Amino acid sequence: MHDHDRRDNDTGIVPAISLPVLLAGIVLPFCLVIGGCLALQAFRMALFGIPLEMIWMFACFILVPACLTVCWNMSPPGPDGKQVK
Amino acid sequence: MEVSIFLAVITASVLIAIYSRYRHAARNTRDFFVASGQFGAVLVFFLTIGETYSIGSVLGFPAGIYTQGSGFGLWFLGYILLSYPVGYFLNPRVWALGQKYACVTIADIFRNHYASRVLEILIVLNTTLFLLPFGEMQFAGLMVVVRNLGWHVSGMMMTGASALLTLAWIVLSGIRAPAYVSILKDVLMVVAIVLGGYAALHAMHWPAALPPLSRPAGGVHGLPGGNAFIVSTIILQSIGLCIAPQTVAFLFSARSPRTVQKNQIFMPLYMLMFPFLFMMALYVRTAGMTPASPNDVFMVAVCATLPHWARGLVAGGCALSALVILAGICLALGPLVSRNLMPGHSDRTQKTGAQVTIAIYLLVSVLGGASLSGLMVMLNNLYYIGVTQLAPGIIVAILNRRVSAMPIIAGLLCGDLIGISLFFLHVMPAGLNPGMIGLTVNALIVWGGMVRTSAQAT
């Protein structure tokens, strides 16, 4: 085990933030988690003894990485001057 | 049997810490505390994800579900989960600030960007004050584990030995010790939680026979302040988790900002263990068990369902969990004092000063942990109220706006004062988290300062 793994050959550049990236990366996860859970909480229903809002929260453990993956693919790092080095 | 396995886990952690020193003996202060920014994706991942499975989370989450039902789960899981999208955008930029100013601590950002000694000292005092209960929390959790396993070891002896072990790790190889040990710790925690959760499911005959999780009396979720409290707490703490002093120090240890950003994508998947913890709380509740305190729920489920060898594994995992988090806090705190509070010393003196600070902090935490009572969540709330007040200052630095230190100082003081006062007075305007009110006032003051600076420039 080394401090830096061998596949760790990232460019060291972070892409600038755009509106679609913000929507996919921040707004959508917050809406899914907070909005979805609070909406389902109002139904006061359970599946196999587990409240629906908790099941949705557990599903968000997959949905949020999906949103961030979309976000990652929308913003490949390039050499333009807007990027943060 | 369980004691043997526990001791084997602790021995393994010491061997790993020695190995980490053998691989890379720390050369200077920056290397000792942030590994000279050389950590790759794996080590940064395990360091930063550590907070998810701290002993506070593992004991606190089932405790909250047991006492307050699913509403607790919403804010608790919600803030951890949403800290990853926040961190996706924030963390690489904080890393970039660290590179720009060659930072070791969070206070270095403020010192370099705002060029204010007063602000630097204020940041140190603010973070130190709010990190103090966090160390005690780890020891209090450790004592819960030992008490439930029925080991005839005094709490003080156990926490004292743990503090010594933590100090030994740190002196051996600085940040590398907790980074390498955290891999073992996380593997153990995952195994322990899956084993415990599966055993609880089996004992409950789930899903065939399980009554719905009853709602607590007095509301849908049993939390004061209703949905406004849940939402404001999630927002506050998801920001706070990203800019906590120890998280920022971990970010500075990364080699590249894209590594930091990419890790944030995978981190939520690591939370897939929480359903098992949920099941353990459900099991204790439906089986009619009566834990001595809510914090005992996890260990009551473990002791009721798992064989002795597995309990040893759980105890080892919990102990490492507490100690890795503690080591991270110590490594954030030590240089804050030796570097930011007492600047101007040589590299060697800074390192020694930090180690002395860490030793004192551990001693205070051991003594505090022995007398700690009540739900850990209360301490958790106070911690985030204070730590999150650093956010406006960091965001202004990320935006590279030139603002005088005065609005940052004023915002920080007002945010702290309002948040803590409201917390202790149990006042929640519109049901909002007191820390959120403080943060809003803080942000408005900083924004006012930005507007004024812009107006003066034109």
Side-chain angles (χ1 to χ4, degrees):
Chain A
M1 181 90 198
H2 293 264
D3 276 3
H4 43 268
D5 25 301
R6 286 174 189 143
R7 286 169 299 165
D8 184 23
N9 55 355
D10 285 328
T11 58
I13 297 170
V14 179
I17 298 174
S18 63
L19 185 62
V21 166
L22 264 183
L23 287 175
I26 284 273
V27 178
L28 190 56
F30 270 77
C31 289
L32 284 173
V33 174
I34 296 177
C37 287
L38 292 183
L40 288 170
Q41 193 184 43
F43 287 109
R44 308 187 70 168
M45 287 169 68
L47 194 63
F48 300 120
I50 305 172
L52 271 186
E53 65 270 21
M54 287 307 296
I55 294 174
W56 177 252
M57 178 65 82
F58 297 150
C60 285
F61 297 166
I62 310 280
L63 295 174
V64 169
C67 292
L68 293 180
T69 306
V70 170
C71 208
W72 176 269
N73 289 322
M74 282 164 75
S75 53
D80 71 78
K82 288 179 185 172
Q83 291 165 341
V84 179
K85 262 207 163 181
Chain B
M1 181 70 171
E2 63 190 34
V3 176
S4 310
I5 290 182
F6 174 78
L7 290 176
V9 169
I10 299 299
T11 310
S13 75
V14 174
L15 292 175
I16 290 171
I18 294 170
Y19 171 79
S20 70
R21 181 189 168 83
Y22 166 73
R23 294 295 311 176
H24 298 273
R27 294 182 298 276
N28 53 39
T29 304
R30 188 166 156 74
D31 196 57
F32 188 80
F33 291 108
V34 293
S36 299
Q38 285 302 307
F39 279 173
V42 175
L43 286 176
V44 175
F45 179 88
F46 279 105
L47 262 181
T48 44
I49 199 84
E51 297 276 324
T52 307
Y53 287 113
S54 68
I55 198 162
S57 302
V58 170
L59 300 183
F61 177 67
I65 293 292
Y66 178 82
T67 53
Q68 297 173 18
S70 61
F72 175 89
L74 291 194
W75 78 256
F76 191 91
L77 297 178
Y79 92 80
I80 297 177
L81 181 59
L82 289 174
S83 73
Y84 301 127
V86 173
Y88 180 88
F89 293 100
L90 202 58
N91 290 357
R93 286 158 180 89
V94 172
W95 179 93
L97 278 178
Q99 287 293 111
K100 183 178 171 186
Y101 298 126
C103 297
V104 171
T105 68
I106 193 166
D108 287 350
I109 297 176
F110 287 84
R111 182 189 61 211
N112 287 296
H113 189 80
Y114 298 102
S116 165
R117 179 81 184 118
V118 176
L119 179 59
E120 184 185 5
I121 292 172
L122 197 62
I123 296 296
V124 173
L125 295 178
N126 187 77
T127 45
T128 310
L129 176 71
F130 292 107
L131 281 176
L132 275 177
F134 212 65
E136 289 178 17
M137 211 162 82
Q138 309 304 313
F139 284 131
L142 199 56
M143 282 200 245
V144 169
V145 174
V146 173
R147 188 176 69 234
N148 279 277
L149 289 170
W151 293 353
H152 300 293
V153 185
S154 78
M156 191 62 86
M157 188 187 286
M158 184 72 185
T159 51
S162 306
L164 282 176
L165 184 64
T166 308
L167 190 62
W169 282 358
I170 292 170
V171 172
L172 263 174
S173 65
I175 191 142
R176 288 190 173 83
Y180 281 69
V181 173
S182 65
I183 299 174
L184 171 69
K185 163 243 166 187
D186 279 13
V187 169
L188 282 175
M189 288 314 288
V190 168
V191 170
I193 291 168
V194 170
L195 277 177
Y198 177 76
L201 283 175
H202 189 69
M204 285 189 294
H205 307 291
W206 190 83
L210 186 68
L213 182 70
S214 57
R215 309 275 176 179
V220 177
H221 35 60
L223 291 172
N227 288 341
F229 179 80
I230 293 180
V231 174
S232 58
T233 305
I234 287 175
I235 294 171
L236 179 84
Q237 298 193 174
S238 61
I239 299 168
L241 199 56
C242 293
I243 55 154
Q246 65 274 28
T247 311
V248 170
F250 295 157
L251 294 178
F252 293 158
S253 71
R255 204 156 67 109
S256 122
R258 279 296 256 186
T259 297
V260 168
Q261 197 168 40
K262 200 171 186 177
N263 275 347
Q264 297 296 122
I265 298 173
F266 299 105
M267 285 179 179
L269 296 173
Y270 204 64
M271 294 182 74
L272 286 167
M273 299 298 125
F274 274 103
F276 291 97
L277 284 173
F278 183 83
M279 286 301 172
M280 290 165 91
L282 219 56
Y283 167 67
V284 173
R285 208 157 136 158
T286 52
M289 295 174 179
T290 49
S293 83
N295 290 334
D296 291 322
V297 170
F298 173 75
M299 285 310 295
V300 165
V302 163
C303 294
T305 54
L306 293 182
H308 285 281
W309 65 266
R311 288 182 215 172
L313 214 60
V314 171
C318 287
L320 289 191
S321 178
L323 301 191
V324 165
I325 301 292
L326 192 61
I329 295 164
C330 287
L331 285 163
L333 203 70
L336 274 170
V337 175
S338 70
R339 185 180 163 92
N340 300 111
L341 212 54
M342 299 179 287
H345 294 292
S346 68
D347 197 70
R348 189 185 170 85
T349 312
Q350 271 185 34
K351 197 169 140 183
T352 311
Q355 287 171 348
V356 171
T357 307
I358 288 167
I360 294 170
Y361 175 68
L362 286 170
L363 184 66
V364 170
S365 296
V366 167
L367 297 174
S371 56
L372 194 69
S373 62
L375 273 178
M376 294 180 182
V377 175
M378 192 193 78
L379 284 175
N380 202 25
N381 281 343
L382 197 59
Y383 165 78
Y384 281 111
I385 288 173
V387 165
T388 314
Q389 303 305 328
L390 306 182
I394 290 183
I395 289 169
V396 170
I398 286 174
L399 296 172
N400 201 22
R401 296 288 292 268
R402 283 289 152 196
V403 180
S404 79
M406 197 46 77
I408 308 292
I409 293 171
L412 184 65
L413 288 175
C414 288
D416 275 344
L417 200 68
I418 291 169
I420 294 170
S421 304
L422 292 175
F423 179 81
F424 281 115
L425 292 170
H426 303 288
V427 177
M428 288 189 291
L432 294 171
N433 186 307
M436 195 68 200
I437 308 273
L439 182 63
T440 309
V441 173
N442 181 350
L444 284 174
I445 292 171
V446 171
W447 179 73
M450 280 171 69
V451 170
R452 195 179 157 175
T453 308
S454 303
Q456 282 171 346
T458 55

